Amino acid sequence: AQLPDESCVLVGWSLGGMLALDLAARQPRRLAGLALVATTPCFVERPGWTHGCDDATFAAFEQGVHAPEPECSRMLGHFFALMLHGEGLPRSRCHELARQAVDRQHPPARQALAAGLDLLAGLDLRDRLAAIDVPALVLHGGQDAIVPAPAGRLLAEALPNASWREMSPCGHVPFLSRADQFNETLEAWCRTL
């Protein structure tokens, strides 16, 4: 991927944040800033990294992606529920957010889901963080059940020029569940660049 020729702020969420980190390491001069939402430098547990997804949970996601219907749809529903974990939202609001975010008529292709899981399993960006010195905002939900807040805190500490913001109560999708607060936080940070 190539970033635009003019300097830009790159915003990445979850796996997209990991890919944004990778781009920032390779093309830092094209970035005015980097906003990382619910992002971790390493999604799965590894030696020296206890803030990742454990093997059993990750295997369940892999099994769900390759399972026949309706098991795959149930797994995706469970994953979306995990994204809203800890929000304290009424069930009706959770269903409303699910309807807005998930296109039931055109579910994601299994190949795309499997490729995403492969990326999550393989990416470990911890050794590249110290070289990413563009201004960064690491914004995380305090109750994130997919990427725990300590992983985001450690990411912010490892980046040389990062600010940490924790939203609470908030899960994995602050731009959906706390859109106004999320947008205000992002816009305020962008004004500092």
Side-chain angles (χ1 to χ4, degrees):
Q2 283 291 104
L3 293 170
D5 288 334
E6 65 277 1
S7 186
C8 66
V9 173
L10 182 59
V11 180
W13 167 62
S14 196
L15 173 57
M18 295 178 80
L19 298 175
L21 281 167
D22 184 57
L23 273 171
R26 290 187 285 117
Q27 301 177 37
R29 290 191 177 96
R30 294 189 177 190
L31 290 176
L34 184 63
L36 304 166
V37 183
T39 298
T40 177
C42 184
F43 186 76
V44 295
E45 285 184 351
R46 297 184 192 281
W49 185 253
T50 60
H51 302 290
C53 183
D54 63 73
D55 290 341
T57 302
F58 195 82
F61 284 126
E62 285 182 313
Q63 184 178 10
V65 164
H66 298 290
E69 287 300 334
E71 288 86 4
C72 184
S73 292
R74 276 199 294 272
M75 184 274 302
L76 290 173
H78 175 66
F79 185 72
F80 192 81
L82 278 176
M83 286 196 270
L84 294 172
H85 175 80
E87 292 282 354
L89 297 173
R91 185 176 289 251
S92 61
R93 178 69 177 139
C94 290
H95 288 304
E96 179 185 333
L97 289 172
R99 281 192 301 276
Q100 291 172 2
V102 178
D103 183 352
R104 300 255 185 230
Q105 300 301 318
H106 303 96
R110 287 180 189 246
Q111 285 177 289
L113 293 172
L117 286 175
D118 287 346
L119 282 170
L120 288 171
L123 282 173
D124 184 353
L125 303 165
R126 292 175 292 162
D127 63 344
R128 300 173 78 187
L129 299 177
I132 301 172
D133 63 354
V134 298
L137 170 66
V138 180
L139 196 149
H140 220 94
Q143 288 67 40
D144 192 330
I146 295 172
V147 176
R153 251 185 247 110
L154 289 169
L155 171 61
E157 291 169 8
L159 291 168
N161 195 8
S163 301
W164 167 253
R165 300 287 187 284
E166 185 173 315
M167 296 172 62
S168 198
C170 188
H172 193 63
V173 287
F175 51 87
L176 287 180
S177 62
R178 306 277 185 247
D180 291 342
Q181 182 184 0
F182 173 83
N183 289 331
E184 289 168 11
T185 301
L186 183 58
E187 289 169 7
W189 177 76
C190 285
R191 285 192 294 272
T192 69
L193 300 176

